[in-house]
Amino acid sequence: MGSIIWGIFGAFFTLLGLVPFLGIMNFFSIPLLVIGLLCGIIGICKKPKEKRGSSIAGTIICVLFLAVAGWRTYVGWSATKKLADPNTLQKLQETSDSLKKLSDSMNNLSDSLNSVGK
């Protein structure tokens, strides 16, 4: 029964971690899910065969959400790693400069169209 409770708490934090900018919640969910997984495995090994249902269910919940939390943590880590790359920062600066030039051109075009209309 304990593995289901740990799994539900871990699943809650995992689902919160899927929301953009709340990925930090996975650092709360992963330990909870690991504890639930260990409780489930111990429950499966120690309980009689006819009383293992809740331990099996809790173990399955923990494994599924542990995979989701691990995937989300990996995605966030790789995105952060790419952002910290100097080449990425240089490309972002170039793109920002290009967008500023485009914005200035659009403003000039708008000003010239307004002056023609008057």
Side-chain angles (χ1 to χ4, degrees):
M1 185 67 171
S3 62
I4 289 179
I5 294 169
W6 286 106
I8 289 172
F9 282 130
F12 173 73
F13 284 113
T14 300
L15 293 174
L16 276 178
L18 292 176
V19 175
F21 301 110
L22 291 179
I24 192 78
M25 291 298 159
N26 288 316
F27 291 108
F28 296 113
S29 68
I30 291 174
L32 294 174
L33 292 168
V34 169
I35 292 170
L37 182 64
L38 292 174
C39 289
I41 291 171
I42 290 170
I44 291 171
C45 293
K46 294 213 173 200
K47 288 184 180 177
K49 199 169 198 171
E50 54 276 347
K51 294 185 178 182
R52 293 183 190 170
S54 63
S55 296
I56 292 171
T59 303
I60 291 170
I61 289 171
C62 290
V63 166
L64 290 175
F65 281 99
L66 192 58
V68 172
W71 170 79
R72 176 62 174 93
T73 303
Y74 172 75
V75 168
W77 174 78
S78 64
T80 304
K81 184 178 174 186
K82 286 180 185 177
L83 185 62
D85 184 25
N87 293 330
T88 303
L89 295 175
Q90 182 181 1
K91 289 178 186 177
L92 285 172
Q93 183 64 38
E94 291 170 1
T95 303
S96 175
D97 293 340
S98 298
L99 287 173
K100 181 163 180 3
K101 288 178 185 176
L102 178 64
S103 175
D104 291 341
S105 299
M106 296 297 284
N107 287 334
N108 291 336
L109 178 63
S110 176
D111 291 341
S112 62
L113 287 176
N114 285 336
S115 66
V116 170
K118 290 183 181 180

